[in-house]
Amino acid sequence: MDLSNGYAVVDLETTGLDCWNDLIIEIGICVVRPGEGPATDSVLVAVNRPLPSRIVSLTGITDLDLKNRGINIDEALAWFVARTKGLPLVGHNIIRFDRAFLLEAARVHRRAVEEGSFPRRVIDEVDDLPAWRFIDTAGLFKGYKLGVYPSPGENHRDYVHRVLDMRTPAGLRYSLAVACQEFGISTSRVRAHRAHGDVVQTQKLFEKLLEFNPPE
């Protein structure tokens, strides 16, 4: 995986876990380029339904927040593409979770453009969200803990699926919070389950993992 031009850490907050029925409500990005400090930003995304109470409790995001500060998903996707263009996309469980939501949002966006409700195409499933572009810190961390590393010629996506499908020994957890604790990354000043804070933590975790289990 070529990181010579930098990378972008991505995190989504959503209304639930099902990419077919749930919606993105926040996108966080942390862009890291050679010789520059991490640049972090996030946007809220307006949705056309009330937020589940469990999501409000988990994230602290409210319906009023989305009404007052949320932008529509088409604009949010354009924002995402403009800031991450050409960079590898890093995230914790990004291959199985965040990418699935981005792909579905891109498909819905394509239909919106075709139907005339949005003027232009801003994201493409094939060009902007190919599998090879994604680096998963959850898979890297679990592989590190299990002592399982990529086989010769195995690409990162296949490696992550292989590792995440492995039986998890009792007591082994690989959430973002647990992984940060393992490497002594402080979480005391970061709001968990908010995209802006999660990309900051994931970026620090990724830098640690590069020392132990770099993506191929």
Side-chain angles (χ1 to χ4, degrees):
M1 185 71 68
D2 183 10
L3 300 174
S4 59
N5 292 321
Y7 59 89
V9 181
V10 178
D11 185 76
L12 306 179
E13 301 303 331
T14 64
T15 60
L17 302 178
D18 181 358
C19 68
W20 301 107
N21 295 303
D22 291 308
L23 301 171
I24 296 168
I25 57 172
E26 187 178 32
I27 304 175
I29 297 171
C30 178
V31 175
V32 179
R33 296 186 185 276
E36 301 177 12
T40 306
D41 202 358
S42 64
V43 293
L44 293 173
V45 182
V47 295
N48 59 359
R49 65 181 73 162
L51 292 176
S53 58
R54 69 182 184 281
I55 298 301
V56 175
S57 297
L58 184 69
T59 65
I61 299 170
T62 67
D63 293 321
L64 189 60
D65 291 330
L66 299 188
K67 179 182 178 181
N68 291 340
R69 297 189 285 125
I71 62 177
N72 70 51
I73 185 62
D74 304 277
E75 294 170 342
L77 292 172
W79 176 88
F80 165 79
V81 169
R83 282 157 179 75
T84 64
K85 197 72 175 178
L87 295 174
L89 302 175
V90 178
H92 206 76
N93 205 26
I94 195 171
I95 286 178
R96 291 189 169 178
F97 183 80
D98 303 82
R99 181 172 183 256
F101 271 89
L102 288 169
L103 283 170
E104 180 57 16
R107 293 186 190 109
V108 172
H109 169 72
R110 171 166 44 82
R111 292 196 292 272
V113 174
E114 291 168 352
E115 294 167 0
S117 57
F118 197 78
R120 69 192 189 285
R121 187 84 172 267
V122 299
I123 189 169
D124 181 84
E125 302 99 298
V126 175
D127 292 339
D128 295 309
L129 303 171
W132 57 261
R133 197 178 168 198
F134 291 78
I135 302 174
D136 198 313
T137 55
L140 291 174
F141 180 75
K142 184 177 179 183
Y144 159 73
K145 292 296 290 183
L146 293 176
V148 175
Y149 299 97
S151 302
E154 184 177 33
N155 64 48
H156 179 69
R157 180 192 181 195
D158 289 345
Y159 166 71
V160 166
H161 282 301
R162 177 166 66 90
V163 168
L164 294 180
D165 285 341
M166 287 181 172
R167 179 179 174 274
T168 303
L172 173 60
R173 297 189 177 116
Y174 48 94
S175 69
L176 178 59
V178 168
C180 287
Q181 184 178 27
E182 171 84 13
F183 289 110
I185 299 168
S186 174
T187 59
S188 61
R189 294 190 175 185
V190 176
R191 172 66 189 263
H193 304 295
R194 285 300 301 265
H196 190 283
D198 284 351
V199 292
V200 170
Q201 299 303 98
T202 302
Q203 189 272 326
K204 294 176 181 179
L205 173 63
F206 182 55
E207 290 293 331
K208 291 289 186 181
L209 286 167
L210 286 175
E211 303 174 19
F212 299 98
N213 191 10
E216 294 294 328

